[in-house]
């Protein structure tokens, strides 16, 4: 079988496709024939050696996949050969065949395509964890979403709509205005407008109930300022450390040095909260599985519907990642291993 490998730190052209031995499912494990694997921004960061919890090089990236169960090891009862499933791989999802423990598998309804299935775990799991689980999203809330046109951004917009949020601000680059508006968000051009000013102005000077910030660095303090009294900021990424295809240690250092140190007494006085979210490092996997169960129900009810930007043959993985570096995606980017 074939799989994608990051051999060393590098640009997209460093990525290799290699022949590997078929994996075997041991006790409690499930072997899956992958149809689609999701590409996440984290995969771009780890290729540049800027992702703390990535394995040592060489390794195969890929947090999530959808496919069919080929066989199961002893003791597995939740799924059987032939079942359509979503797999939370952790790493290693960019492969024709994968093996995962059965607690990292969720059944995929026949009515949901492999594309939509693979688009769910990371983007929707993360958005749901922040907005609903930690943030207690309520009807009438206002929410600020950055990278609004991307995988997590579009997931967040749909979850906000499903929970009755009244106003969702979405920041993105200018060419994405129409798309962001089509997702029901109030577009903010991140290069030309001051999102703090827009959020305050459009909420009678109060600010938003929640902001989700994957940009990092000094951008975080601006998101914090956009909150109202009682507001929650979710810090969940550092895209400002990745300005392009090649690694920039300068940008990474700038991001790190400009990251604000929040003052708990000031937070107390304004009733604001700051959450740090890294789903890959969440120890209690049951929490994540519960999110996926809730999201599967929302998917079946039509309350969420993943936006697929594009599906690339896995041999085109470098171009697919360039497409994200070039900020061209609107929704989720997937690899086709079928
Ligand atoms: N902590 C967690 O558990 C977790 C989980 C999932 C994702 N994340 C984070 O959430 C963010 C979004 O992830 P995603 O997978 O959904 O990706 P994505 O949003 O689809 O990423 C691509 C988009 O991000 C925007 N962007 C902003 N700065 C960028 C930069 N420096 N380089 C390239 N694109 C940039 C671009 O849109 P514009 O044209 O609008 O700028 C681009 O189209 C990432 O920072 C990621 O690390 C964190």
């Amino acid at each position: 079988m074939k799989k994608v490998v990051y051999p060393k730190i590098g640009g997209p052209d460093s990525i290799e496709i290699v022949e590997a031995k078929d994996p075997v499912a041991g006790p409690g494990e499930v072997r899956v024939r992958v149809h689609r694997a999701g590409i996440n921004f984290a995969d771009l960061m780890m290729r540049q050696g800027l992702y703390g919890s990535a394995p040592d090089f060489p390794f195969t990236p890929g947090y999530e996949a959808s496919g069919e169960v080929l066989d199961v090891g002893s003791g597995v009862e939740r799924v059987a050969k032939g079942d359509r499933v979503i797999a939370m791989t952790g790493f290693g999802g960019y492969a024709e065949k994968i093996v995962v423990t059965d607690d990292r598998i969720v059944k995929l309804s026949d009515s949901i395509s492999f594309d939509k299935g693979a688009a769910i775990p990371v983007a929707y799991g993360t958005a749901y964890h922040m907005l609903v689980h930690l943030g207690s999203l309520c009807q009438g809330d206002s929410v600020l979403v950055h990278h609004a046109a991307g995988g997590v951004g579009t997931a967040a917009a749909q979850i906000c709509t499903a929970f009755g949020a009244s106003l969702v601000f979405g920041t993105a680059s200018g060419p994405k205005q129409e798309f962001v508006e089509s997702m029901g968000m109030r577009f903010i051009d991140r290069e030309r407008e001051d999102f703090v000013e827009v959020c305050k102005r459009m909420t009678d000077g109060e600010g938003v109930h929640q902001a989700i910030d994957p940009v990092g660095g000094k951008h975080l303090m601006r998101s914090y300022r956009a909150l109202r009294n009682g507001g929650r900021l979710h810090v969940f990424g550092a895209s400002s450390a990745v300005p392009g295809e090649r690694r920039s240690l300068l940008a990474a250092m700038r991001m790190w040095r400009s990251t604000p140190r929040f003052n708990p007494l000031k937070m107390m006085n304004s009733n604001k909260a700051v959450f740090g979210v890294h789903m890959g490092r969440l120890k209690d996997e049951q929490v994540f599985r519960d999110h996926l169960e809730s999201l599967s129900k929302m998917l079946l009810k039509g309350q969420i519907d993943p936006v697929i930007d594009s599906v690339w043959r896995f041999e085109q993985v470098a171009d697919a990642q360039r497409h994200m570096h070039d900020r061209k995606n609107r929704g989720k980017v997937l690899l086709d291993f079928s």
Side-chain angles (χ1 to χ4, degrees):
M1 67 128 192
K2 291 201 169 66
K3 66 179 185 180
V4 173
V5 169
Y6 288 171
K8 55 182 190 305
I9 289 174
D13 46 4
S14 69
I15 303 174
E16 293 176 357
I17 311 283
V18 302
E19 196 66 46
K21 266 195 189 160
D22 268 21
V24 177
E29 291 181 334
V30 179
R31 193 164 67 121
V32 177
R33 173 82 182 85
V34 174
H35 283 248
R36 298 285 187 271
I39 302 186
N40 289 288
F41 198 81
D43 305 343
L44 280 49
M45 296 184 79
M46 56 185 87
R47 202 199 62 241
Q48 298 187 358
L50 293 174
Y51 200 76
S53 55
D56 293 336
F57 290 95
F59 69 93
T60 296
Y63 268 123
E64 59 196 346
S66 61
E68 277 168 88
V69 174
L70 284 173
D71 45 40
V72 301
S74 60
V76 174
E77 287 171 1
R78 292 182 45 245
V79 288
K81 183 176 175 183
D83 281 351
R84 303 170 82 251
V85 293
I86 302 173
M88 285 80 69
T89 41
F91 296 96
Y94 289 16
E96 285 181 318
K97 290 172 194 163
I98 54 173
V99 164
V100 285
T101 52
D102 73 334
D103 57 350
R104 292 184 151 259
I105 292 275
V106 172
K107 274 198 194 175
L108 182 64
S109 156
D110 286 345
S111 60
I112 310 294
S113 68
F114 285 121
D115 286 3
K116 305 245 175 196
I120 290 282
V122 176
Y124 282 83
T126 307
Y128 189 92
H129 186 71
M130 294 187 287
L131 295 167
V132 181
H133 181 73
L134 299 174
S136 307
L137 182 63
C138 286
Q139 195 159 4
D141 279 0
S142 50
V143 178
L144 169 62
V145 175
H146 298 292
H147 286 209
V152 179
T154 50
Q158 292 182 353
I159 290 169
C160 284
T161 303
F163 279 78
S166 60
L167 189 52
V168 182
F169 298 97
T171 74
S173 48
K176 291 178 180 154
Q177 173 163 3
E178 204 176 314
F179 175 74
V180 169
E181 287 173 351
S182 76
M183 298 296 301
M185 290 182 268
R186 196 306 189 169
F187 174 76
I188 302 177
D189 187 324
R190 66 172 175 76
E191 282 143 350
R192 293 168 199 269
E193 291 182 275
D194 175 356
F195 66 80
V196 182
E197 187 276 321
V198 177
C199 288
K200 291 273 184 189
R201 176 164 43 84
M202 294 198 63
T203 55
D204 296 328
E206 297 287 337
V208 295
H209 293 85
Q210 299 199 59
I212 62 173
D213 192 320
V215 180
K218 61 186 179 196
H219 196 267
L220 290 177
M221 191 45 94
R222 294 174 60 211
S223 292
Y224 185 80
R225 287 202 191 103
L227 296 179
R228 67 175 56 210
N229 183 296
R232 283 85 72 199
L233 167 64
H234 304 273
V235 178
F236 75 113
S239 65
S240 51
V242 185
E245 285 181 16
R246 312 269 152 206
R247 173 154 103 151
S248 164
L249 285 177
L250 187 64
M253 203 185 305
R254 263 197 208 126
M255 182 282 298
W256 179 254
R257 291 192 62 171
S258 64
T259 297
R261 272 50 176 166
F262 293 100
N263 181 329
L265 290 177
K266 284 190 181 166
M267 289 165 67
M268 179 182 80
N269 285 332
S270 55
N271 285 290
K272 290 184 181 178
V274 179
F275 291 101
V277 171
H278 188 325
M279 298 308 284
R281 290 191 170 187
L282 194 65
K283 295 273 191 224
D284 187 349
E285 292 193 359
Q286 187 58 42
V287 170
F288 190 54
R289 287 181 53 77
D290 289 348
H291 296 349
L292 288 187
E293 298 293 348
S294 302
L295 288 162
S296 299
K297 286 181 195 144
M298 290 173 75
L299 191 59
L300 287 173
K301 281 189 208 157
Q303 291 175 315
I304 54 170
D305 184 20
V307 180
I308 309 301
D309 169 78
S310 48
V311 183
W312 306 67
R313 279 296 300 166
F314 71 92
E315 295 90 342
Q316 298 174 293
V317 55
D319 289 335
Q321 292 199 355
R322 276 192 200 101
H323 181 70
M324 288 176 74
H325 279 297
D326 293 344
R327 304 170 186 224
K328 289 185 178 151
N329 65 302
R330 288 162 172 76
K332 191 79 186 176
V333 182
L334 300 171
L335 292 175
D336 175 6
F337 283 91
S338 60

